[in-house]
Amino acid sequence: AKNCGKNNAKLYSSSLTMQIMSHVKLEVGLRKALGNDELYLLYQPQFDVHSTEIVGVEALVRWRHPERGVISPTEFIPLAEETGLIVPIGEWVLRTACSQARNWQRQTRRSVRMAVNLSAKQFKDENLSQIVLSALHETGLDPRFLELELTEGTLMDDAKATLATLEQLRRIGVYLSIDDFGTGYSSMNYLKRFDVRALKIDRSFICGLPQDSENAAITRAIIAMAHGLKMVVVAEGVETGEQLVLLQQYGCDLVQGYHLGHPVPGDSIAQKLVGVVQA
Ligand code: C2E
Ligand code: CA
Ligand code: CA
Ligand code: CA
């Protein structure tokens, strides 16, 4: 049976002591990872569902560990959040992603939106808008080409502080979206109050389409609601051609997933963008 669960990739079976030891070792390693150039970004394309053109990419971080090889963000991002390392790591991700987006513009004469994941800790950091501003300023990227992906949990935490931070980001002119939509504890109320441009339907709903009629109903309902609120809808985790056709029929706007493109290094995206120009 197909597994529609989220981030269930932790396969190492070990005793508790082993787990704690490896946790501590990992933390020590993560503290050095940034300075040692062990982090890098891959970029997964997002396509317009109708024209099938690339309109954006999502930056996804990887850690090339000197002994263990490449480590998934599902393993080290939670650790980075626990230890606060997510703030410097997140700043590096933001700057690297903005710089990449600007380089693609220069190389290919095409502009795509760069989506960056923001964890709750980063969102709560009082320097966030300053960090975003300087990343844009130093790289020369136009703010409308930077998208920040937030989760429902991040937005629900403290309404007053959230509104203030969102207002600062709105004034900068970046594009805000809600990641993993439908999996958090969402009071729909915040959708009215916050100026968010896009919803990303979590892949646990896309998985199992077209057979799973409940997921189909949820997907259609999210698309209808988002469009009613004048928001853009992105479907994540599109793995088959059948799912793509269904999402076209449902009127979804953007699609992202292995069927259309895996996360790849920046050079591969540049090649794809140039390919579209020449076609
Ligand atoms: P996410 O933001 O929901 O990112 C989508 C994840 O789904 C990525 O996993 C991507 O590789 C994977 N994916 C894309 N298409 C498909 C598909 O068709 N099928 C399946 N099964 N999976 C697909 P990845 O790169 O391992 O990242 C996992 C999570 O780690 C991300 O989930 C995000 O929450 C977090 N993450 C990654 N990079 C960053 C970052 O720079 N900062 C922060 N704060 N979190 C990050
Ligand atoms: Ca994301
Ligand atoms: Ca997601
Ligand atoms: Ca996620």
Side-chain angles (χ1 to χ4, degrees), residues 34-93:
L34 252 188
N36 290 349
D37 278 335
E38 290 165 11
L39 300 183
Y40 63 98
L41 298 182
L42 295 180
Y43 304 90
Q44 186 176 33
Q46 297 178 343
F47 298 82
D48 180 296
V49 90
H50 300 293
S51 72
T52 65
E53 254 189 71
I54 299 181
V55 293
V57 301
E58 177 175 2
L60 295 159
V61 69
R62 298 289 181 269
W63 178 12
R64 192 179 288 108
H65 190 281
E67 287 143 35
R68 289 190 37 195
V70 177
I71 302 182
S72 155
T74 56
E75 194 173 338
F76 71 86
I77 289 291
L79 183 63
E81 283 168 348
E82 262 172 57
T83 55
L85 285 168
I86 191 64
V87 173
I89 289 175
E91 183 172 355
W92 176 85
V93 168

Side-chain angles (χ1 to χ4, degrees), residues 58 117 149 179 200 236:
E58 177 175 2
N117 292 285
E149 297 192 1
D179 200 3
K200 298 189 76 172
E236 307 193 274

